[in-house]
Amino acid sequence: MHELPVTKSILGIVLRHAESNGVQKVVSIQLSIGALSDLEEEWLQSYFDHLSRGTVAEGAKLQVRRSNLTFFCRQCSLEFSVPREDLDDTQCPKCGGKDATVVSGTGYSVESMEAQ
């Protein structure tokens, strides 16, 4: 159910940009969602369909891209990315260290939108 406040936020961002750019109709919205985020695409779209009724974003489709996780190695200071499927054995590709902190990959962002 945490998709609802996230979807409200996404719609707010889209509507602000649409208004400031004189957009008549939003067709699609490209989202980047972190690999560790548990946001479900189908729930996001469902809530978006409901919340966007009567706005320029009504009927817009959400297009989701899952982003990799980015880590910071505390041993050699390298920042590196790891796909979700490789999380079980995360180690720095430069020094082989396993003492790393997550920098990104848990949040979401509106990357772009297609409008008419």
Side-chain angles (χ1 to χ4, degrees):
M1 188 95 159
H2 63 284
E3 281 88 353
L4 181 58
V6 170
T7 307
K8 284 181 180 179
S9 174
I10 291 167
L11 179 60
I13 292 166
V14 167
L15 293 178
R16 280 193 303 277
H17 284 283
E19 183 179 350
S20 68
N21 290 289
V23 169
Q24 301 297 314
K25 176 77 178 150
V26 176
V27 177
S28 65
I29 299 137
Q30 292 71 43
L31 302 173
S32 176
I33 298 179
L36 283 185
S37 172
D38 60 354
L39 293 172
E40 295 289 334
E41 295 173 36
E42 66 184 72
W43 283 105
L44 288 171
Q45 186 67 61
S46 179
Y47 285 131
F48 190 85
D49 292 345
H50 175 73
L51 293 170
S52 65
R53 286 188 193 137
T55 72
V56 297
E58 183 174 358
K61 296 300 174 204
L62 301 179
Q63 299 171 339
V64 176
R65 177 185 64 83
R66 291 282 176 172
S67 62
N68 287 344
L69 286 162
T70 303
F71 289 91
F72 175 79
C73 178
R74 291 183 180 170
Q75 290 176 271
C76 72
S77 300
L78 178 71
E79 198 168 284
F80 61 98
S81 292
V82 176
R84 184 177 188 160
E85 57 273 8
D86 294 341
L87 283 179
D88 291 341
D89 188 34
T90 302
Q91 64 183 31
C92 177
K94 182 178 177 184
C95 73
K98 293 190 180 244
D99 186 14
T101 58
V102 175
V103 175
S104 67
T106 58
Y108 70 92
S109 63
V110 176
E111 297 293 314
S112 63
M113 65 182 193
E114 180 183 353
Q116 295 177 336

